[in-house]
Each structure stands twice: as structure tokens, then as C-alpha cells.
Amino acid sequence: MILNSYERMVARRYLLPGKGEGFIFLVASISLVAVALGVAALIIVMSVMNGFRAELFDKITGLNGHAVVQGYEGRLNDWQPIAAKARSLPGVTSATPLIEQPLMASSNGRVEGVILRGMRLDDIRNNPVIANNVKSGNLSLVTPGSERVAIGSRLADMLGAYPGTTISLISPEGRSTVVGTVPRIVTYTVAAVFEVGVYDYDNAFVIMPIEDAQNMLLAGEAISTIEVQTTNPDKVDQILAPLGPEVRNKGVILDWRQMNSALFQALEIERIAMFVVLSLIILVAVFNILSSLIMLVRAKTRDIAILRTMGASRQGLMKVFVTVGVTIGSLGILLGIVLGAIFLFFRQGVVNAIQYATGANLWDPAVRTLTELPSKTDPFEVGAIILIALVLSFLATLYPAWKAASTDPVQVLRYE
């Protein structure tokens, strides 16, 4: 929308408060702040939701892969041909054998449920989710036959087990004796404590070499799962489709969507719902712009009539008031982007400050799954938020602008 010099001058004049127009300026300022808060709230919430999903996805797939081949009854005996076939498929980057079994762990008189995970030595050391998040101890001490393990940080806190402490793993599937089956109890030394940032993993995982896990569970050469990583997790079902005949009658193929379908569907629904609800804040702010422009038109009726008698066109007056309203909306959007960026940068500090001031635990990892408030800003979503705010601001200016352009200068100057 191109304005000539007098239209720009009039629009600039109407944006600034005149004598006796302080209330109109106050309403316009409130409209600007309301737009800013609406835009900031949308950017913050959508960024946190995106960050939550991305962080959760990275942590989950980092430990569980994009898909798994899971043997019937938790046992996969003839697994080598399946792993070789998986590695040969285009789009597959790795196929890793694992043993995973729920057990009980005991240390310092405390007992907790744990998940035993047996991995090949290279896979333990090269897995960034584990290797890059060691809080204490030395992961390199976890070697086959060493009777050493790595455990999650929250499990370490609950058991009071730290590097150098011994823990006992209890398996109900022990050896048969004349008095029945005796649970198998094996003692290990904690070599390292890791914290991947996902509560369920830090709270339960005990990681050891796969050979030690097979001995602990008396599994022989069998494993329970083959973890598969691909180049495109969104197309994992298509990539692994040729593996179906090889797995048939031995196990099932589960991708990350099937393993965590309820969680990710809930996140997506919540994300959409939050976007719709918070968009109402911008809509309310736009109504404030509408009301402030109506008040401005009413206050400037005499000025508008004089401009009309001096030759101002209806179209020119419409452009003036549309410019005023859109400028208020645009300034609010810019302020909202700045506020959103500042909040996201200091988000964890803000959460900690609120928790300290109120004494409430706003981010309980047991409920939120992740240990810190995540954030990932999507430029396309930010662009959509800006576009929505601009369009609504523009629409809010149409009626006041039309009302101003429809002013009859003869009637106004006759009676005013």
C-alpha cells in the first residue's frame, strides 16, 4: 500500500497523541502490548512444544532406534541373518543386537525395579546419548567379564549407588533346584553414572556388555531385540518393508511411532490445541485495535471533513487509517518477537526463579519426562504467527477506515 506525502503526514500525526487524545493513545498502546503478548505467547508455547517433541524423539530413538526387531517371548535365537539383511537395506545405517529385560536391583538395603540392557562394547562407547552424558565414573571400565555396569543418575540416587558401589541384580528366572526355582542374584560394581535427560531411562537403565547380560539371564547366544537406525525416520516402515519375510515367524518389527504412538499423538493434539487457544489472545488484541481506531475516527470527524473539502479522496483516507492500524499491529508483532526470543533464551532461569519464589515444582521430571524445559523454534511457524497477526490487524482496520472515508463533509461542517 503506497501513500503519498500528505497521507504519510496525516497517518504519522494520528499515530501520535494530540491535545485531549491521551485516552485514545492509551487504548492504542494497550492494543500494541496485547498484540505483543499474544505473539510472544504463541512463539514461546510453540517453540517449547516443538522442542519437547524433538528432544524426546532424539533421546528415545538414540537409545531405542528408529525401529526394533523384537523376538517372540523376548528371545531372538537366530538373529545374525536378520541383522545382516537389515544392514544391507538401502537407508539403514545400523542394526544393533540388544538384550533388554526387566529385573530388580538391590543396593544399600534399597530395592528398585530396573531395566537391564546388554549392548556390544563398541555400541556402548559410541552411543552419543550414553557416552556424552556420563556424570561420574568412567564408562571405559565397563568391559566384558569385568562385572561392571553403568546406571542412570536417578536410579543411582534411589539406590544410593555411585561409582565404586556394588549393586545386586535379581532375576526370577534362576536355576532349578530340588526345592524349586531359585532367583539368580549377581553382584556388579557401578563403573559410571549417566544422565540422558529422559526420566524413564535415568530412573531404570542398567547397561552392561551383551556377553555379561547373556550370562546373567542364562540366554546363551540369544538376544531379545535388534535396534535399527535409518536415514529417514519418517519413512522407516518403507525402508524396512523388505525385512518382513526374514522376520516372519521369529518376531515382529516395531517402529518408533508404534512404540510411542500414544505419547507423540498426545503431543501433536496438545500442540494444535495450544495454537488455537493462544491465537485468541491475538484476536482480542485486534479487537482493541478496532476499538481504538473507531474512537480515533470519532475524535477526528471534523479533521476528516476538512480534509475532504480540501480534496482528500475516500481512498486516501482509507489508506491513512489502515496504515495507522497496521502500524500498531506491526509494532506489537515486533515487540512480541523480541519478548518471545528473550523468554526462550532465559527459559530455564525463568522456570527456576518461579520455582524458587513459589516453592512449587513446575518441571517435575517424573511428570514432564525431560529434566529441563526444551525449546526449538520453527521459522515457518513464526512466519505463520506473524502472518496471522498481520492479517487480523489489517481486517480490524477496514471498518474504521471505511467509516472515515464515508464521512460527509457537508453534514459534519454544518452541524459541528
Side-chain angles (χ1 to χ4, degrees):
M1 183 168 53
I2 302 175
L3 281 69
N4 58 36
S5 58
Y6 101 85
E7 291 168 350
R8 286 196 299 272
M9 182 270 292
V10 174
R12 186 165 53 250
R13 172 68 183 81
Y14 285 175
L15 277 170
L16 300 175
K19 185 178 180 181
E21 298 170 356
F23 184 71
I24 298 175
F25 179 73
L26 175 63
V27 174
S29 300
I30 292 173
S31 304
L32 186 151
V33 173
V35 171
L37 292 176
V39 170
L42 267 176
I43 291 175
I44 291 168
V45 170
M46 299 309 294
S47 296
V48 169
M49 293 297 294
N50 290 336
F52 192 87
R53 184 186 186 281
E55 189 79 6
L56 200 58
F57 177 81
D58 290 342
K59 301 289 188 183
I60 289 175
T61 57
L63 281 177
N64 294 332
H66 297 150
V68 296
V69 179
Q70 187 171 304
Y72 291 135
E73 298 182 355
R75 185 178 290 265
L76 200 59
N77 292 307
D78 190 17
W79 60 270
Q80 290 85 352
I82 298 175
K85 175 67 175 180
R87 295 188 191 101
S88 67
L89 296 177
V92 173
T93 57
S94 67
T96 306
L98 300 174
I99 285 185
E100 194 166 287
Q101 181 70 34
L103 299 176
M104 299 296 293
S106 173
S107 180
N108 298 314
R110 308 174 193 175
V111 179
E112 296 290 340
V114 301
I115 296 177
L116 170 64
R117 168 167 284 203
M119 304 171 64
R120 294 181 303 186
L121 184 60
D122 290 342
D123 296 328
I124 295 175
R125 296 179 177 178
N126 296 330
N127 189 314
V129 176
I130 300 172
N132 296 342
N133 292 288
V134 175
K135 291 192 65 179
S136 59
N138 189 349
L139 193 63
S140 63
L141 296 178
V142 181
T143 57
S146 65
E147 304 298 325
R148 294 190 178 96
V149 297
I151 64 175
S153 59
R154 296 188 178 276
L155 177 61
D157 292 338
M158 289 188 296
L159 291 176
Y162 301 97
T165 305
T166 59
I167 65 171
S168 298
L169 297 184
I170 307 167
S171 172
E173 297 182 4
R175 297 185 182 277
S176 298
T177 67
V178 293
V179 294
T181 301
V182 177
R184 181 172 169 78
I185 303 176
V186 181
T187 300
Y188 297 91
T189 301
V190 176
V193 175
F194 60 86
E195 182 174 312
V196 301
V198 178
Y199 181 83
D200 290 343
Y201 297 159
D202 295 333
N203 191 53
F205 267 32
V206 175
I207 294 177
M208 65 174 62
I210 194 169
E211 297 88 347
D212 293 351
Q214 289 171 331
N215 291 334
M216 169 69 197
L217 300 175
L218 305 176
E221 297 296 320
I223 63 171
S224 60
T225 301
I226 297 176
E227 175 194 289
V228 181
Q229 296 279 3
T230 65
T231 55
N232 189 346
D234 292 326
K235 296 183 178 180
V236 64
D237 52 344
Q238 302 174 25
I239 294 173
L240 296 183
L243 191 61
E246 190 74 34
V247 178
R248 190 177 295 118
N249 300 324
K250 298 179 182 178
V252 294
I253 301 175
L254 301 174
D255 62 35
W256 62 273
R257 297 186 192 88
Q258 296 168 309
M259 291 186 288
N260 307 279
S261 59
L263 175 61
F264 285 105
Q265 285 178 9
L267 286 176
E268 188 63 24
I269 292 172
E270 184 177 1
R271 179 171 165 271
I272 295 173
M274 293 299 292
F275 185 89
V276 173
V277 170
L278 292 175
S279 296
L280 297 178
I281 300 177
I282 298 179
L283 187 60
V284 171
V286 164
F287 277 112
N288 286 335
I289 295 176
L290 173 64
S291 62
S292 64
L293 287 179
I294 291 175
M295 294 172 63
L296 182 62
V297 170
R298 185 70 185 88
K300 298 294 185 181
T301 300
R302 185 178 179 84
D303 294 356
I304 294 169
I306 294 173
L307 288 173
R308 291 283 287 118
T309 60
M310 294 175 62
S313 65
R314 293 177 182 272
Q315 182 182 7
L317 288 173
M318 284 197 69
K319 288 195 292 183
V320 167
F321 284 93
V322 168
T323 300
V324 172
V326 171
T327 300
I328 294 173
S330 300
L331 292 175
I333 291 170
L334 289 175
L335 179 59
I337 294 172
V338 173
L339 290 176
I342 293 174
F343 183 92
L344 290 174
F345 185 79
F346 295 104
R347 63 188 183 279
Q348 193 59 42
V350 172
V351 171
N352 294 338
I354 295 174
Q355 291 183 151
Y356 179 79
T358 62
N361 189 358
L362 301 180
W363 195 259
D364 185 357
V367 177
R368 309 295 182 184
T369 303
L370 300 181
T371 55
E372 291 188 354
L373 182 67
S375 172
K376 182 181 180 182
T377 304
D378 186 346
F380 294 103
E381 284 186 350
V382 174
I385 292 169
I386 293 172
L387 181 61
I388 289 172
L390 279 175
V391 170
L392 291 176
S393 298
F394 172 75
L395 292 176
T397 65
L398 294 181
Y399 175 74
W402 173 80
K403 195 68 176 175
S406 301
T407 301
D408 185 351
V410 176
Q411 295 294 327
V412 172
L413 295 178
R414 176 182 297 173
Y415 296 108
E416 296 191 17

